[in-house]
Amino acid sequence: MKKVVIVGAGVAGLGAGIYARISGLESVIVEKNSFVGGNLTGWERDGHAIDNCMHWLTGTHPKTELFKIWNQVGMLGERVTLCRPESFADFEHNGQRISLYRDPNKTLTKMLSISPEDARESRRFIAAVKAFGRMQSDVSRAPACLPFYLRYRSMSLGDLASRFKHNLLRRMITDLFSPELSALSLLFAYGAFCIGNADLPYGGSKAAAERMRDRYLQLGGELITDVEVEQILLRNKRAVGVRLSDETLIACDAVICACDPFVTFGRLLPDRYMPKKLRRARADVIGTPLFSAIHAAFSCDESSELPKHSTVIDCRTLDLDGRRISHLVVKPYTKSLLPQPNGRAVLQVLIFLEDRESVRWIELSRNKEAYRAAKARFGRAIEQRVLSRYPSLKSSIKLLDVWTPASYVRYFGSSNGAFMGFAMKAGHALRYRLTPRIHGLKNVRLATQWQAIPGGLPQAVLQARRAVKTLPAPGSIKIIKITPVVSEA
Ligand SMILES: Cc1cc2nc3c(=O)[nH]c(=O)nc-3n(C[C@H](O)[C@H](O)[C@H](O)COP(=O)(O)OP(=O)(O)OC[C@H]3O[C@@H](n4cnc5c(N)ncnc54)[C@H](O)[C@@H]3O)c2cc1C
């Protein structure tokens, strides 16, 4: 049996390990952390569960190819309950409220009642949402999406919002994601939600990652944690093994790099192997920028006042490194999604950061005290704003944690803390594609969300499957012995 080493136990790495085992390959995943999942993770603070990742999982509709894949890799399964919220997100502004309901007709009715003036644009928006939704469960409906695709592909969410006259509708378009992102990002995601293709597995991100790990181990895969791959050892245009940070060498017949590609090129492999497309995309800070986020998590009593879904609320202006923020996205994590201590809930707030803002947090993190103080200030500022919207939480709210782009760099080696690959900007999204093959290397493959735009969990697992499929056929894998070879579990 031929042996493949996989760098990283994120979704792409675990997915690659599972498909390698299904293909009959011997597989060793090496993960630098003590836990699996990469960005698909969560942790405990004071007995409360914090979730780092999934806001929705594309591929929860049984008629989609992704649904089969998620079942194959253990993300979903018979014993996994899906949480199906009533709305994708709720929006409040100046005392008015609207939701992106499960039923897009209900959303349209609300849009029309709030702003009859925007009837034409609202109808177009909802028609596009329905078309993008239907296409996901029935690919034969894809041609019906073409007119909508052509209309919206070069529009940003900001452009789309500017077509609406009513402020609440504008904010519904821009405030959940970011105005610079492609309008297609919201149309596609909300369309997926409407048909039940963007729900959430109960237990959240950490439990999902652990189910993938368990599937991999059940299939006989080997997992080594708490140690980094430092270098891929090359001979005659082939990988012959990897060197780990504890100096262990593992010989192998192929390597799949399932970590951030800017760790792969320049560190694990000489920089000259970096695909030109990837280098160009990284340099194009306007067309394919990076983004990250800063988060705060609070514990509070589970009260009727808590929002039920991700909710965009107005807030007193927050000055974040010179950027003025006037709304927050607040997401509740109650026992309907994650186990929490009795009577308690967790409220999380996430603010997207542009690349230059992420870099500032990363630089600041080099000074531990200043970083800690800045995180505490951020936590307090968010707490005040959450309380002014939900005053009844005053007696029970407690800051649990603040994490920043520096956390993503520290734990996952993410480029500037970016956790979704390149941002999906209008007009750029579908032009960028990266194959798993690396020019000049016969048996090294890439499996990462960075191979298409947008990234995200589906991309990570799809690329993992592709990477395994494109490995040289077992018969043609040439085994080259290296010494010494010490493989430690
Ligand atoms: C706040 C947030 C919200 C998100 N929301 C969603 C969502 O709602 N839906 C969605 O689809 N996606 C979402 N994502 C994105 C999703 O988490 C990522 O797309 C996905 O997890 C990427 O998986 P990956 O395996 O490609 O990479 P990663 O998660 O980066 O995994 C790479 C792994 O490689 C390891 N590694 C790195 N270098 C080395 C080395 N040298 N040796 C050994 N191991 C190494 C890392 O520790 C890590 O475990 C979200 C992410 C975040 C952070």
Side-chain angles (χ1 to χ4, degrees):
M1 198 188 292
K2 310 301 176 197
K3 181 165 169 177
V4 56
V5 167
I6 297 163
V7 187
V11 169
L14 291 168
I18 290 166
Y19 283 111
R21 290 299 302 140
I22 291 173
S23 311
L25 295 166
E26 200 181 314
S27 161
V28 182
I29 301 181
V30 184
E31 166 57 48
K32 75 194 267 285
N33 291 306
S34 57
F35 57 91
V36 298
N39 283 288
L40 180 71
T41 192
W43 52 90
E44 269 201 10
R45 283 286 178 280
D46 287 349
H48 296 73
I50 293 178
D51 196 296
N52 179 58
C53 178
M54 272 191 282
H55 290 72
W56 68 87
L57 177 70
T58 307
T60 53
H61 190 293
K63 282 198 181 151
T64 60
E65 178 65 12
L66 264 172
F67 182 80
K68 288 178 206 135
I69 294 177
W70 287 137
N71 274 269
Q72 211 163 23
V73 301
M75 168 74 84
L76 300 179
E78 271 171 20
R79 276 187 256 155
V80 181
T81 310
L82 279 178
C83 303
R84 297 185 181 276
E86 293 154 32
S87 88
F88 190 53
D90 302 338
F91 302 81
E92 303 173 354
H93 181 51
N94 287 342
Q96 280 186 299
R97 194 181 167 86
I98 190 167
S99 299
L100 289 170
Y101 296 106
R102 177 75 67 174
D103 176 359
N105 293 324
K106 195 171 164 187
T107 308
L108 178 60
T109 307
K110 185 78 181 174
M111 290 172 87
L112 295 177
S113 78
I114 287 176
S115 179
E117 275 189 302
D118 286 313
R120 192 176 140 89
E121 210 51 60
S122 299
R123 288 205 169 88
R124 282 175 156 178
F125 174 76
I126 293 296
V129 164
K130 287 182 183 171
F132 282 116
R134 282 192 293 260
M135 176 195 79
Q136 295 177 46
S137 62
D138 179 359
V139 281
S140 72
R141 309 291 279 269
C145 282
L146 191 63
F148 297 108
Y149 170 72
L150 293 174
R151 176 162 199 265
Y152 290 107
R153 73 175 164 173
S154 49
M155 248 188 240
S156 68
L157 286 170
D159 298 333
L160 175 57
S162 68
R163 291 171 179 252
F164 288 86
K165 297 190 175 62
H166 198 284
N167 254 342
L168 179 60
L169 300 192
R170 287 185 179 179
R171 297 193 64 163
M172 182 183 88
I173 304 291
T174 53
D175 287 3
L176 189 60
F177 298 163
S178 158
E180 291 81 37
L181 291 189
S182 164
L184 294 175
S185 58
L186 180 63
L187 292 166
F188 193 89
Y190 179 41
F193 178 80
C194 292
I195 62 149
N197 194 32
D199 291 321
L200 281 171
Y202 179 79
S205 304
K206 181 166 180 273
E210 288 170 354
R211 282 195 301 278
M212 286 185 71
R213 174 201 60 198
D214 294 347
R215 175 64 49 91
Y216 171 69
L217 295 175
Q218 277 157 14
L219 287 167
E222 188 183 344
L223 173 65
I224 304 177
T225 57
D226 292 302
V227 61
E228 283 185 49
V229 174
E230 294 243 302
Q231 194 188 2
I232 297 173
L233 306 171
L234 301 176
R235 194 175 300 166
N236 300 334
K237 299 189 174 181
R238 286 175 183 278
V240 292
V242 295
R243 183 170 55 78
L244 309 188
S245 48
D246 63 2
E247 295 304 323
T248 304
L249 300 179
I250 305 178
C252 61
D253 309 295
V255 175
I256 295 179
C257 302
C259 53
D260 187 289
F262 302 100
V263 170
T264 299
F265 301 104
R267 211 176 123 201
L268 307 188
L269 289 171
D271 180 71
R272 66 174 184 277
Y273 288 111
M274 186 185 294
K276 282 192 188 120
K277 273 190 203 168
L278 180 66
R279 199 184 293 280
R280 271 200 301 269
R282 183 72 174 86
D284 181 4
V285 293
I286 307 289
T288 42
L290 306 184
F291 68 96
S292 186
I294 179 164
H295 312 243
F298 303 91
S299 138
C300 61
D301 279 345
E302 191 175 2
S303 84
S304 55
E305 204 199 5
L306 280 184
K308 289 204 168 51
H309 318 108
S310 282
T311 302
V312 179
I313 59 169
D314 288 330
C315 71
R316 185 160 53 79
T317 309
L318 173 71
D319 188 324
L320 199 64
D321 275 340
R323 181 156 58 105
R324 295 166 72 75
I325 291 167
S326 58
H327 71 273
L328 294 178
V329 186
V330 181
K331 185 166 165 58
Y333 289 88
T334 59
K335 57 180 181 294
S336 63
L337 176 63
L338 278 180
Q340 300 291 7
N342 236 348
R344 304 288 291 173
V346 169
L347 271 190
Q348 291 186 197
V349 173
L350 171 161
I351 298 177
F352 287 115
L353 298 180
E354 292 170 15
D355 196 35
R356 63 186 170 83
E357 297 172 315
S358 306
V359 170
R360 257 185 251 144
W361 279 100
I362 294 162
E363 281 167 1
L364 184 65
S365 71
R366 294 193 187 113
N367 177 338
K368 280 202 173 113
E369 251 175 53
Y371 179 59
R372 208 173 295 139
K375 286 203 303 178
R377 267 198 310 279
F378 175 79
R380 276 196 302 276
I382 299 297
E383 182 174 320
Q384 286 162 5
R385 284 158 181 82
V386 168
L387 282 179
S388 61
R389 170 60 188 86
Y390 305 107
S392 70
L393 302 181
K394 193 164 175 39
S395 57
S396 69
I397 198 163
K398 186 174 165 232
L399 179 65
L400 290 173
D401 206 356
V402 170
W403 63 110
T404 77
S407 319
Y408 295 122
V409 175
R410 175 177 162 208
Y411 284 99
F412 311 124
S414 317
S415 315
N416 289 359
F419 50 72
M420 285 281 293
F422 297 112
M424 187 176 177
K425 292 265 300 233
H428 292 259
L430 299 167
R431 272 189 242 143
Y432 171 87
R433 280 272 183 286
L434 213 59
T435 126
R437 293 171 198 276
I438 298 172
H439 187 69
L441 292 175
K442 294 189 172 135
N443 59 348
V444 185
R445 296 290 181 265
L446 288 179
T448 109
Q449 56 164 342
W450 294 79
Q451 285 161 257
I453 300 175
L457 301 165
Q459 206 51 252
V461 79
L462 287 169
Q463 297 298 345
R465 193 174 65 157
R466 269 183 87 200
V468 173
K469 268 192 188 164
T470 63
L471 281 177
S476 71
I477 293 180
K478 198 168 155 194
I479 305 174
I480 301 170
K481 287 244 154 52
I482 53 170
T483 44
V485 179
V486 192
S487 172
E488 286 177 357

